[in-house]
Amino acid sequence: ARARGVRVVGEVELASLFLQGDTIGITGSNGKTTATALAGRLLEECGIPVQVGGNIGTIPAAAMAAASRPGQWNVLELSSFQLETIESFRARIAVALNVTQDHLDRHHTFAGYAAAKARLFETQGRDDFAVLNADDPTCGSYAARTAGQVFWFSLERAVRPGAWLEGGTLLLEGRPLLEAREIPLRGRHNIENVLAAALAAWLTGASVEGIAAGIRAFRAVEHRLEFVRRAGGVDYYNDSKATNVDSALKAIDSFEGGLWIILGGKDKGSDYAPLAAPLAAKARAALLIGAAAPLIERQLAGSVPLAHCGTIETAVRTAFERAAPGDTVLLAP
């Protein structure tokens, strides 16, 4: 169609022509679903009209148009695939959680992938807000691509204007929000998600007290470090949304050790070598499934025991038979 000079837009661009109210757009390589669901929950907690959709769950942006109203917020999870086809779509609040290597089978280069995500900021105006991860260089570069006011979040240092972790306390514009130990989600990466969602909610007018209450009441979304059950003293966690190496690293970092990790699926041109050292330190074995298994085996050989399982069913059964009480079976493919 493009070769014939036909205009091509994506579903999000089409939806934006009909969506009423303002939009919070959330992108990133990892954490989008959690941050999007949390942002929606925080607005609900504060009595702010909101609906949630986009790349999350089963509600595309176009399906939200009929229910949208002036004065309501539309919180959208947005992927690079969706953002590469926007033209005039504009997020009043645009959030970038992180940008790490992913989808190179489509975008070919990391620069191309990062540029697709940058589209979220390039369509903003002077009255809009950009919420960026100050600890991520690519996210930081988006500050030069937006006409909006930039707010930052960080795990490493105080950032103004913005939100950050200091000691064990989350601070929002210097005001204590809550203690990190109160967050009902595993993993340091989820502190980033909380900071980003809290900042986005605060920019809509949500109160600090309401934001803190919403965070405390939030539970992990389905498929994202989701506790499934304990069987025979072994914990089972479903992190099937860990579909790239960085996301799998974050999942591994959330546990102390004793891991039986299920890896594999579709190869997206990733380098699996960064998994070697953390798995050597924490994993009993890696259980390999799917088309990517041979490549993962070559890159992880010698660092961790490997078991060729082929399917998830076989991998789970293998882990069930071999894991000891106190171990964890983790699906982070």
Side-chain angles (χ1 to χ4, degrees), residues 83 97 108 125 261 304:
L83 290 171
L97 301 170
H108 306 300
I261 185 168
V304 62

Side-chain angles (χ1 to χ4, degrees), residues 176-188:
L177 179 61
L178 80 169
E179 297 299 304
R181 56 181 168 76
E182 297 180 80
I183 297 173
L185 300 170
R186 294 189 72 105
R188 187 172 169 84

Side-chain angles (χ1 to χ4, degrees), residues 84-297:
E84 68 182 351
T85 51
I86 66 171
E87 293 178 354
S88 61
F89 167 82
R90 174 182 140 263
R92 181 87 167 82
I93 301 171
V95 181
L97 301 170
N98 48 66
V99 185
T100 58
Q101 192 176 88
D102 199 8
H103 298 302
L104 299 189
D105 54 332
R106 178 179 181 89
H107 299 293
H108 306 300
T109 65
F110 179 74
Y113 171 59
K117 290 192 174 295
R119 292 291 298 137
L120 180 60
F121 302 92
E122 292 170 347
T123 58
Q124 287 192 293
R126 293 179 62 185
D127 295 329
D128 299 330
F129 301 100
V131 176
L132 302 174
N133 186 345
D135 305 331
D136 184 302
T138 303
C139 287
S141 72
Y142 294 158
R145 298 197 178 209
T146 179
Q149 183 177 352
V150 176
F151 283 75
W152 303 94
F153 63 94
S154 173
L155 296 182
E156 307 297 335
R157 63 189 188 279
V159 284
R160 295 182 186 274
W164 65 92
L165 178 67
E166 188 170 297
T169 304
L170 278 68
L171 300 175
L172 181 54
E173 281 291 90
R175 181 176 173 182
L177 179 61
L178 80 169
E179 297 299 304
R181 56 181 168 76
E182 297 180 80
I183 297 173
L185 300 170
R186 294 189 72 105
R188 187 172 169 84
H189 64 287
N190 272 320
I191 301 177
E192 289 185 331
N193 293 332
V194 168
L195 288 170
L199 198 48
W202 181 74
L203 288 168
T204 71
S207 68
V208 171
E209 295 76 16
I211 291 171
I215 293 168
R216 293 186 183 103
F218 187 72
R219 293 297 176 263
V221 297
E222 197 175 23
H223 309 298
R224 173 52 80 196
L225 274 179
E226 177 190 11
F227 176 69
V228 178
R229 65 171 293 186
R230 177 170 292 172
V234 177
D235 288 342
Y236 290 76
Y237 278 86
N238 170 19
D239 198 34
S240 63
K241 286 182 70 66
T243 57
N244 58 57
V245 172
D246 187 65
S247 189
L249 286 169
K250 287 179 167 62
I252 295 164
D253 186 56
S254 301
F255 298 91
E256 294 300 317
L259 289 178
W260 298 82
I261 185 168
I262 301 171
L263 296 174
K266 180 179 184 289
D267 177 54
K268 296 187 286 184
S270 301
D271 176 11
Y272 301 100
L275 292 167
L279 288 180
K282 292 188 174 183
R284 307 273 194 228
L287 313 173
L288 305 183
I289 62 173
L295 182 59
I296 295 174
E297 179 186 25

